[in-house]
Amino acid sequence: MLGKLTLIGCGPGASDLLTIRAARRIGEADIVFHDRLVEADVLEFASPAATLQYVGKKCTDGGRQQTDINSMLRGALLAGRHVARLKSGDPMIFGRAAEEIAVAVELGAEIEIVPGVTAALAAAAECSIPVTERAELQSFVVTTGRSANKDKEPDWANLLKPGICVAFYMSVAQAWRIQTALMARGVPGSLQAEWVENVGKPDCRRVETRLDRLALDARQHRVRNPAILFIRYPLSATNVEVIPAPADGMTI
Ligand code: SAH
């Protein structure tokens, strides 16, 4: 009989940010595959009889190791095992979930996905950074500093518009590219930004900066991964000419 795959979001690190459902599903699994960013105390929820299998990879390792993980998952499902695949944050956000879901779908194995607290929202809570704000920030966007294909990186300037707060994942090494790409397209260098490093861990740190000092401050303050970068573009930061509302009866 085929096994079952449960993709489990484990939040940013602190085990008390796990959901109750995540803790239960970890305890029910007979094999647990865990990542580099999943903290050891999360593994304490596993059954003593379960096999713990580390499958960590750095994002710079490229696709090869993901192929290995996919074949390990396939092997465990074919052997009828109940697999808990632990992911940092939420599995559906920069978690290679699509590829792992495809393994289970292809085999026809049962699949369940347990959401987790994604790093940006944990960072927002830990540092009191609202990502939306009435009359100032109407939208919240999640993007990445790193893309599978260097020539097809996100069009950051198209995402960061007035009224929008953008959270950048995997962006420490890309600070200079992000800063120059945005400023070249007219985004004001004076915009407030912050790095939030090691969210959910005792050494969590916030480095406040501005768009035109992004790379400089990242270097001077030695910002290291894992870190989230927030750039907020409040409506009041724009110098938009205010056009008076048309008088009653007028049409534009
Ligand atoms: N699925 C995860 C994201 C994995 S991609 C989630 O939903 O959070 C890895 C990136 O997530 C890192 O480069 C960093 O930008 C961010 N990240 C993960 N854990 C973090 C943490 N504890 N503190 C700050 N950023 C973190």
Side-chain angles (χ1 to χ4, degrees):
M1 205 177 95
L2 280 174
K4 172 182 171 182
L5 173 63
T6 312
L7 290 185
I8 304 176
C10 292
S15 61
D16 57 353
L17 278 180
L18 277 185
T19 63
I20 294 170
R21 188 182 299 176
R24 283 195 187 128
R25 294 296 182 270
I26 297 170
E28 288 162 9
D30 51 39
I31 182 161
V32 178
F33 289 100
H34 57 105
D35 257 11
R36 192 171 56 95
L37 292 173
V38 171
E39 292 291 300
D41 52 356
V42 168
L43 301 176
E44 287 169 15
F45 290 97
S47 147
T51 312
L52 303 182
Q53 175 80 53
Y54 177 72
V55 290
K57 61 181 163 59
K58 290 195 173 152
C59 41
T60 44
D61 289 344
R64 168 130 169 73
Q65 285 206 23
Q66 183 64 46
T67 326
D68 295 342
I69 295 170
N70 295 348
S71 5
M72 289 161 85
L73 289 176
R74 189 173 294 110
L77 291 171
L78 284 170
R81 306 192 74 180
H82 182 168
V83 182
R85 172 69 170 110
L86 311 193
K87 301 272 188 183
S88 74
D90 184 278
M92 307 306 235
I93 298 187
F94 303 127
R96 308 291 293 259
E99 289 140 273
E100 298 182 13
I101 291 170
V103 171
V105 169
E106 203 177 285
L107 294 174
E110 189 186 339
I111 177 153
E112 181 184 359
I113 297 161
V114 181
V117 180
T118 192
L121 294 181
E126 194 146 339
C127 299
S128 296
I129 302 169
V131 295
T132 64
E133 211 177 307
R134 193 164 179 274
E136 283 290 5
L137 296 166
Q138 303 140 320
S139 308
F140 171 56
V141 169
V142 163
T143 188
T144 175
R146 180 181 294 281
S147 20
N149 179 347
K150 277 224 158 52
D151 303 328
K152 292 207 172 137
E153 59 195 13
D155 184 359
W156 297 305
N158 220 11
L159 302 175
L160 189 67
K161 301 275 187 193
I164 299 182
C165 168
V166 179
F168 293 79
Y169 288 64
M170 296 172 273
S171 56
V172 179
Q174 311 297 322
W176 178 249
R177 290 170 73 101
I178 295 170
Q179 171 179 345
T180 49
L182 290 172
M183 290 179 65
R185 299 266 294 275
V187 181
S190 58
L191 284 190
Q192 192 199 335
E194 32 286 286
W195 297 100
V196 190
E197 195 185 72
N198 288 324
V199 179
K201 300 178 190 163
D203 52 351
C204 176
R205 187 167 68 120
R206 173 185 191 174
V207 174
E208 292 184 49
T209 179
R210 348 185 317 158
L211 177 57
D212 58 1
R213 294 185 50 93
L214 213 57
L216 185 69
D217 280 337
R219 202 175 57 214
Q220 282 189 345
H221 294 271
R222 295 192 157 75
V223 177
R224 297 277 178 270
N225 255 320
I228 288 286
L229 167 67
F230 286 110
I231 309 182
R232 289 153 47 95
Y233 198 163
L235 285 172
S236 57
T238 54
N239 297 319
V240 180
E241 196 192 336
V242 180
I243 302 167
D248 267 351
M250 266 176 70
T251 48
I252 316 181

